[in-house]
Amino acid sequence: MKICCIGAGYVGGPTMAMIANKAPDIEVRVVDMNASRIAAWNSDMLPIYEPGLDEIVRKARGRNLHFTTDVRGGIESADIIFVAVNTPTKSYGVGAGRAADLRFIESVARTIAEVATTSKIIVEKSTIPVKTAETIKEILAANARGVKFEVLSNPEFLAEGTAMADLHEPDRVLIGGERTPGGEAAIKVLADVYARWVPRDRIITTNLWSSELSKLVANAFLAQRISSINSISALCEATGADVDEVANAIGKDSRIGSKFLKASVGFGGSCFQKDILNLVYLCEHFGIPEVAAYWESVVKMNDWQKRRFATKIVRVLFNSVSDKKIAVLGFAFKKDTNDTRESAAISVCRDLLAEQAKVMVYDPKVPADEIRRDILGVGKDDPRLMVATSAYEAAKNAHAVVIVTEWDEFKTLDYEKILASMVKPAAIFDGRNILDLAKLKEMGFRAYGIGKC
Ligand code: UDX
Ligand code: UDX
């Protein structure tokens, strides 16, 4: 059996590395049109940082795991083709700012139709609007010369930073397909691949649309929990309650559960906002604006939370940060990843720069040019934006230290040393509630968290 995955990104790379490790008899080829990304996958410096990924790539690479730019060759020889290309939010025309831009999916489908000479199973791994499988099927049917394609939906539920553990022991694997004999047979082929390491009772099969919709709904529900606790964090700050105590108390109720109740400066990542906006667009399209408005409020609350955090920094620093140096610790959208897509740090830094602050960012895994590009845009520069190589360098002569990402190393910094190097009165804003505020206050910091007084 041969598998090809189109798209060597955060989803395609780790997922295929796991399959190649668990099924040494399956030939796995990961193809991508981005030559430098493929070169990185073939080097010692993988293009994405994910704990545990290096080891498993090293084990299978060159054996039954290959990374190449030969998209056509990969398609031609494969029995199963995973599509894991990115599906950004449309930035133009109808549905701009909400609908998913499907041009990569479409172009991949056209290439498959053009190249394939034997029957194949096409697996949608990218998160896409409901009914995308239909589009893919139409394109394949229009171009193929008698070749049979089955299209499956197999959404990815891995979270970055814990991708390898999530892939190794998934809560569930979801496979959607057509309820026809051909569809059922294709579902079985894919289920058998996962069954090599995932217990059968965790492999759920559904119809295509249920599977596509479930991915959007899972992310919408997860994000909703964060927006809900973040809304309460504002109330905690106003009343003197402590949001971590509230989260702990409600999370003990087994009907609510303890996960995804950590108040923060706001959720980021490539999926949550995009998938909710997708859901919103879908609801509007189907004439249910009430449902659209309900889910859109989850994103609005998140935007408000990010702005609220930046506004608080300005207020505490005596209503002006103009020409004051502010150290921003962490830039990735969460710890243990170098991914910065939709990171709360981007909007916090932009807000501070708009207030004419001097911002010095430090992140252990995100390169400096990526930080500049995310905040300022491609090829732009601003002398007030600087990037440090350590937290201590960032904090030196700063009026405030701002924690945006919960990297473990920020928990064990020498805050006495940091305080000594800062302009007084020194402030610290913990956007992740990872520090002991009482202790910092004792040291002499003006210390603030999320949902804490
Ligand atoms: C995944 C999912 O696929 C996406 O739907 C989800 O919303 C976010 O997570 P991810 O792996 O994180 O995407 O995206 P990215 O890291 O951008 O990787 C996509 C890769 O596909 C890129 O390396 C890009 O070069 C490649 N690509 C894109 C192609 O090879 N061909 C194309 O036509 C388009
Ligand atoms: C998410 C889903 O968890 C995953 O199942 C899906 O496949 C892709 O989208 P990911 O975006 O990688 O994964 O990370 P996740 O751990 O869900 O975190 C998303 C954001 O929410 C991060 O910015 C994180 O810091 C934030 N978050 C998470 C909180 O602010 N509080 C929490 O309690 C949990």
Side-chain angles (χ1 to χ4, degrees):
M1 153 128 38
K2 287 191 173 146
I3 289 179
C4 169
C5 175
I6 308 177
Y10 285 89
V11 168
T15 310
M16 292 305 120
M18 183 59 72
I19 292 179
N21 268 271
K22 296 292 180 184
D25 56 306
I26 299 182
E27 180 84 14
V28 180
R29 258 209 244 181
V30 190
V31 303
D32 200 298
M33 62 183 186
N34 182 336
S36 63
R37 210 163 203 192
I38 289 296
W41 278 109
N42 283 319
S43 76
D44 286 337
M45 258 310 271
L46 300 186
I48 67 176
Y49 173 69
E50 188 65 56
L53 178 63
D54 271 46
E55 291 91 295
I56 94 159
V57 167
R58 229 174 280 134
K59 253 169 67 192
R61 195 172 56 190
R63 181 188 71 189
N64 64 328
L65 177 65
H66 306 277
F67 295 92
T68 152
T69 52
D70 180 13
V71 178
R72 289 171 167 262
I75 292 172
E76 183 151 27
S77 61
D79 306 294
I80 305 179
I81 299 173
F82 285 84
V83 181
V85 299
N86 41 336
T87 49
T89 304
K90 256 188 104 174
S91 57
Y92 53 88
V94 180
R98 281 152 189 245
D101 190 338
L102 291 180
R103 73 186 135 149
F104 297 138
I105 296 272
E106 181 178 338
S107 101
V108 164
R110 287 185 191 281
T111 311
I112 295 173
E114 221 176 282
V115 170
T117 52
T118 55
S119 299
K120 295 178 194 308
I121 298 171
I122 314 296
V123 184
E124 304 174 335
K125 212 52 180 151
S126 306
T127 310
I128 36 184
V130 178
K131 300 247 159 177
T132 302
E134 199 91 300
T135 311
I136 297 179
K137 269 193 291 187
E138 276 175 33
I139 294 170
L140 292 175
N143 297 33
R145 359 165 169 69
V147 178
K148 226 179 126 16
F149 297 105
E150 286 296 339
V151 180
L152 301 178
S153 158
N154 173 220
E156 189 50 72
F157 294 108
L158 66 80
E160 287 169 33
T162 54
M164 301 330 289
D166 296 343
L167 285 164
H168 190 252
E169 269 188 62
D171 287 342
R172 80 311 207 172
V173 168
L174 178 58
I175 305 176
E178 277 192 293
R179 295 306 201 187
T180 57
E184 300 286 358
I187 290 174
K188 186 173 176 310
V189 172
L190 186 57
D192 287 348
V193 172
Y194 285 109
R196 288 158 183 260
W197 79 95
V198 180
R200 283 275 177 189
D201 60 2
R202 292 204 194 167
I203 303 177
I204 306 171
T205 64
T206 65
N207 76 31
L208 266 177
W209 326 132
S210 300
S211 171
E212 290 182 336
L213 188 58
S214 295
K215 171 69 195 243
L216 298 186
V217 173
N219 278 342
F221 269 65
L222 290 169
Q224 182 200 42
R225 287 174 67 93
I226 303 170
S227 274
S228 295
I229 199 70
N230 280 346
S231 76
I232 299 304
S233 74
L235 188 59
C236 287
E237 285 167 36
T239 57
D242 179 313
V243 76
D244 282 337
E245 291 178 353
V246 173
N248 182 50
I250 66 165
K252 289 277 191 266
D253 185 327
S254 60
R255 294 168 302 177
I256 296 173
S258 61
K259 290 180 182 157
F260 268 69
L261 283 180
K262 185 89 192 140
S264 69
V265 51
F267 61 73
S270 71
C271 286
F272 281 179
Q273 174 166 320
K274 189 185 74 169
D275 290 355
I276 295 171
L277 292 177
N278 230 306
L279 195 63
V280 168
Y281 184 69
L282 211 66
C283 294
E284 281 170 354
H285 175 81
F286 287 105
I288 28 180
E290 295 79 2
V291 182
Y294 177 74
W295 287 106
E296 191 170 22
S297 69
V298 173
V299 173
K300 284 190 179 152
M301 180 56 61
N302 197 48
D303 288 339
W304 182 70
Q305 183 78 346
K306 290 185 273 187
R307 223 177 313 122
R308 191 170 83 80
F309 186 66
T311 306
K312 177 149 188 173
I313 295 169
V314 177
R315 204 173 60 233
V316 168
L317 298 186
F318 313 108
N319 285 318
S320 170
V321 290
S322 175
D323 281 331
K324 291 177 181 168
K325 181 181 173 190
I326 298 180
V328 171
L329 302 190
F331 197 76
F333 80 98
K334 64 191 247 189
K335 74 169 180 176
D336 290 342
T337 179
N338 61 345
D339 193 350
T340 62
R341 288 178 286 182
E342 305 295 338
S343 176
I346 299 172
S347 68
V348 170
C349 289
R350 282 185 186 158
D351 285 356
L352 294 173
L353 287 169
E355 291 285 342
Q356 300 188 350
K358 293 182 197 152
V359 176
M360 193 179 255
V361 183
Y362 166 69
D363 187 283
K365 289 287 173 194
V366 182
D369 54 343
E370 173 85 53
I371 292 173
R372 283 180 214 284
R373 194 164 54 230
D374 286 343
I375 299 173
L376 305 172
V378 183
K380 301 225 176 81
D381 202 16
D382 181 341
R384 283 174 305 141
L385 174 63
M386 297 157 287
V387 179
T389 54
S390 76
Y392 298 104
E393 184 195 350
K396 198 172 172 210
N397 297 323
H399 290 249
V401 165
V402 178
I403 291 181
V404 184
T405 314
E406 72 282 23
W407 285 103
D408 287 340
E409 68 173 68
F410 300 155
K411 293 179 195 162
T412 53
L413 293 171
D414 181 347
Y415 283 98
E416 295 277 10
K417 179 175 157 188
I418 285 181
L419 178 64
S421 75
M422 290 174 66
V423 176
K424 310 294 179 307
I428 189 159
F429 300 86
D430 180 0
R432 294 290 183 167
N433 289 346
I434 55 171
L435 302 178
D436 183 341
L437 293 186
K439 217 162 118 193
L440 291 168
K441 281 178 189 162
E442 236 169 68
M443 274 180 209
F445 275 107
R446 304 171 75 204
Y448 304 84
I450 299 280
K452 297 179 183 264
C453 280

